[in-house]
């Protein structure tokens, strides 16, 4: 997406910016990054900064470990990871493949999953790849780019705070989603996992590159943005404003390893008199007005705090919040026919097609 | 339990006797052995008889593979195994432990699980151990003798007819039961699995020996028994007759990977006027009369067809069947305080204690 910044590190200075950037690019999902940020802070404090490596810096044969948390963000914020999950996942893969992991990679770039792998990389003494397999956050395990290229998410490893492990080898990624989701629910609603392990050579096609450094730049821009965070955000990524308003209703339930729900937003200022309905499954899926979609997955729909510009995760939406509803264009790979069939509105049960924000708005 | 018959084989002649004996010792559970019998028949037909080996014949270091089907017997009879599950489980263990499996062992001696491992042993060219870890059939994964000795059921491997594999390493056997049961339900209600893998040396204490040859002897006795199968059965194992009658009501539901239900039996002949209530969870758990337990787990409660002496599995109970309700004493290990806490009536939610059939009846 963007040129790689060679020689970059994640340290105690720019970690909060990464965390902040993750709230914007998550599309409301991936869980509140605060816990991941604290765990990464502790790891960096003890072991030093984490090197951020462009995918090109790895040899074709190098093994990469895409990883993160899986489950309902509402649960993740209360069911704190043990800290050793990254090591357990790495050991499972190293035992399985008979060689060392060369780099850690967030499987999605958003929420807690943009920062927790930083902690795991620090503890392992490994670099973090400047890439992920979503270019945002999505709720299901077949919603990663390698799936579009017919690549398998197996062997997948999940582990919980008791460091129990479950290793899956499934026939396809839909079965993987079904089985992992069920185990995660049995484990209490969230767990840590490794998915789609592959060599750097195999990752070159599906990887969405530059997403770690982009999130850091986004966070830094918001912190510098002062009174006008929206302009600062718009300078890092093309932003479409969908409407400004106040949250007047929020409905949310955690079931089957997901958090699903909706919010009503009453327009304020220039948008007075408008009523927006936001629907989510871990991530924000669609924004509707008078029953018509204003924006849909896979575009990244984010609620920004009107004053700070911080992204609001779906489990953090509260009555009375003053927010700006914005959208960023989806990573290109998701807007192909195959991409939309995996993550477009119809993949989530909606009876309408993808509405590209750049086309209808902005 | 009984002296081991050295040099015994399972061939096309005595396989039906094994299958028949399994219906008697299953306590109603373990699934109708017919499918396992057909699979073993095919394997023996192609590859020759399976050697039955006493545990003493193995070296302490030899790796044994306890295996069978897991799930609801109602589902097992319709969701036919692929045939290659035994190989997949064996390969998973051999990869994990870095050495060959020396012998296959049924983890429970009852129903399909007494005969399906015969097929797997034939395909692998391995002997079948004359032992199991239950001495009957039980519905849950912590209800195996090694659990009483503090031994772990992990790593456990499950696989389905699509040959997907899931490998579990859990903190304890209760977590193993919970996670495996959930995956089995997700896989459609039944799957094949390996549990409590261990060396022959480790198995010497928990193994209940002689159970394969005892089931064969039981089946042969019933086939020879002619007009009086009950006497023939009583000559192989001490049998307590609880009552004779006709099934007048049967209620059965399959949920969460189990089949649960109850049957009402109206007394006939000498038992005319009596009413028995049988309750089961895969296996028969208790027989009640006027609200009082006549027999309970871990004693082996079996419904025998009044005319043939064949055991009736819980999913095979039908309105109008003429049956004899009998019980055999539990393997001794289960009647210790630890044993009863794992598999006694209270472990299944009943508010009364174990009633030993030998004490109250017979």
């Amino acid at each position: 997406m963007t040129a790689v910044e060679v020689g970059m590190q994640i340290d105690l200075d720019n970690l909060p910016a990464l965390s902040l950037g993750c709230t914007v690019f998550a599309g409301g999902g991936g869980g509140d990054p605060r816990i991941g940020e604290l765990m990464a802070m502790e790891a960096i404090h003890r072991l030093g900064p984490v090197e951020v490596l462009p995918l090109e810096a790895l040899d074709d044969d190098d093994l990469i470990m895409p990883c993160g948390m899986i489950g309902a963000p509402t649960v993740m914020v209360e069911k704190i990871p043990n800290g050793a999950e990254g090591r357990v996942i790495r050991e499972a893969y190293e035992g399985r493949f008979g060689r060392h992991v060369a780099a850690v990679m967030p499987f999605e770039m958003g929420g807690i999953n943009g920062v927790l792998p930083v902690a795991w990389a620090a503890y392992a003494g490994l670099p973090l790849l400047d890439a992920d397999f979503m270019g945002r956050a999505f709720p299901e395990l077949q919603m990663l780019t390698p799936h579009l290229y017919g690549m398998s998410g197996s062997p997948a490893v999940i582990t919980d705070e008791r460091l129990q492990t479950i290793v899956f080898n499934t026939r396809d990624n839909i079965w993987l989603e079904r089985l992992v989701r069920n185990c995660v629910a049995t484990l209490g609603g969230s767990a840590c996992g490794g998915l789609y392990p592959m060599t750097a050579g195999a990752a070159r096609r599906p990887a969405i590159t530059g997403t770690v450094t982009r999130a850091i730049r986004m966070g830094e821009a918001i912190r510098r943005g002062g009174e006008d965070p929206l302009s600062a955000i718009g300078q890092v990524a093309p932003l479409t404003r969908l409407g400004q308003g106040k949250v007047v209703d929020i409905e949310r339930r955690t079931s089957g390893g997901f958090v699903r729900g909706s919010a009503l937003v009453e327009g304020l200022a220039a948008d007075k008199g408008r009523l927006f309905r936001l629907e989510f499954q871990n991530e924000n899926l669609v924004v509707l007005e008078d029953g018509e979609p204003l924006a849909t997955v896979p575009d990244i729909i984010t609620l920004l705090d009107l004053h700070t510009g911080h992204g609001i995760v779906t489990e953090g939406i509260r009555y009375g919040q003053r927010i700006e509803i914005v959208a960023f264009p989806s990573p290109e790979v998701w807007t192909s026919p195959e991409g939309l069939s995996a993550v477009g509105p119809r993949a989530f049960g909606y009876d309408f097609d993808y509405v590209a924000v750049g086309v209808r708005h902005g």
Side-chain angles (χ1 to χ4, degrees), chain A residues 56 102 125 260 276:
Chain A
E56 306 91 79
R260 301 173 199 261
F276 306 97

Side-chain angles (χ1 to χ4, degrees), chain A residues 249-273:
Chain A
D249 194 26
I250 169 76
E251 181 267 328
R252 193 164 31 215
R253 61 196 178 283
T254 303
S255 71
F258 293 116
V259 49
R260 301 173 199 261
S262 61
L264 285 182
V265 178
E266 247 177 37
L268 290 177
D271 296 310
K272 200 163 175 70

Side-chain angles (χ1 to χ4, degrees), chain A residues 191-238:
Chain A
C192 293
L195 303 167
Y196 295 89
M198 64 180 75
T199 61
R204 300 204 198 283
R205 206 156 55 135
I208 298 180
T209 56
T211 50
V212 172
T213 47
R214 187 175 74 145
I216 294 174
R217 280 201 312 281
M218 175 60 81
E220 287 172 341
I222 297 171
R223 295 170 89 190
R224 278 194 313 266
E227 294 300 301
D228 190 9
L230 284 188
S231 302
I233 289 170
Q235 279 161 25
V236 179

Side-chain angles (χ1 to χ4, degrees), chain A residues 16 19 23 31-41 77 111-112 115 313:
Chain A
S19 181
T23 65
D32 186 325
R34 184 69 186 149
I35 287 161
E37 185 185 342
L38 289 171
M39 298 187 86
M41 198 179 291
V77 297
I112 193 173
V115 281
V313 289

Side-chain angles (χ1 to χ4, degrees), chain A residues 151-172:
Chain A
M151 301 167 90
S152 173
S154 297
V157 180
I158 67 171
T159 184
D160 66 351
E161 67 280 8
R162 300 165 201 90
L163 303 182
Q164 307 186 105
T165 62
I166 310 172
V167 180
F168 300 82
N169 270 281
T170 62
R171 194 179 57 169
D172 58 41

Side-chain angles (χ1 to χ4, degrees), chain A residues 22-281:
Chain A
C22 282
T23 65
V24 175
F25 287 124
D32 186 325
R34 184 69 186 149
I35 287 161
E37 185 185 342
L38 289 171
M39 298 187 86
M41 198 179 291
E42 165 74 10
I44 292 171
H45 185 72
R46 288 171 53 186
L47 295 151
V50 169
E51 186 188 5
V52 179
L53 212 63
L55 183 54
E56 306 91 79
L58 290 183
D59 288 336
D60 274 356
D61 274 351
D62 285 338
L63 182 62
I64 64 176
M65 180 176 107
C67 54
M69 281 192 90
I70 301 167
T74 40
V75 174
M76 288 178 196
V77 297
E78 298 188 357
K79 186 165 169 288
I80 313 292
N82 173 311
E85 289 91 345
R87 174 179 59 74
V88 168
I89 296 167
R90 185 167 49 82
E91 287 173 355
Y93 279 137
E94 293 184 341
R96 187 91 180 188
F97 292 114
R99 59 208 181 100
H100 289 295
V101 167
V104 169
M105 185 181 99
F107 63 61
E108 68 182 348
M109 200 57 218
I112 193 173
N113 279 345
V115 281
L116 189 57
V118 175
W120 295 348
Y123 284 121
L126 288 175
L128 186 79
L129 271 194
D130 187 13
D132 74 307
F133 281 153
M134 291 188 186
R136 47 164 295 160
F138 276 124
E140 300 182 15
L141 305 189
Q142 77 284 10
M143 297 177 174
L144 288 93
T145 48
H147 177 74
L148 296 186
Y149 295 101
M151 301 167 90
S152 173
S154 297
V157 180
I158 67 171
T159 184
D160 66 351
E161 67 280 8
R162 300 165 201 90
L163 303 182
Q164 307 186 105
T165 62
I166 310 172
V167 180
F168 300 82
N169 270 281
T170 62
R171 194 179 57 169
D172 58 41
N173 299 324
I174 304 297
W175 268 109
L176 186 67
E177 162 62 23
R178 197 178 289 149
L179 288 163
V180 169
R181 189 69 47 193
N182 229 287
C183 274
V184 166
T186 308
L187 289 170
S190 80
C192 293
L195 303 167
Y196 295 89
M198 64 180 75
T199 61
R204 300 204 198 283
R205 206 156 55 135
I208 298 180
T209 56
T211 50
V212 172
T213 47
R214 187 175 74 145
I216 294 174
R217 280 201 312 281
M218 175 60 81
E220 287 172 341
I222 297 171
R223 295 170 89 190
R224 278 194 313 266
E227 294 300 301
D228 190 9
L230 284 188
S231 302
I233 289 170
Q235 279 161 25
V236 179
L239 166 148
T240 299
R241 301 170 77 138
L242 299 173
Q244 194 181 112
K246 181 180 113 166
V247 177
V248 294
D249 194 26
I250 169 76
E251 181 267 328
R252 193 164 31 215
R253 61 196 178 283
T254 303
S255 71
F258 293 116
V259 49
R260 301 173 199 261
S262 61
L264 285 182
V265 178
E266 247 177 37
L268 290 177
D271 296 310
K272 200 163 175 70
R274 300 176 71 186
L275 186 66
F276 306 97
R277 178 181 171 84
L278 175 80
E279 299 192 345
F280 50 85
Q281 174 186 338

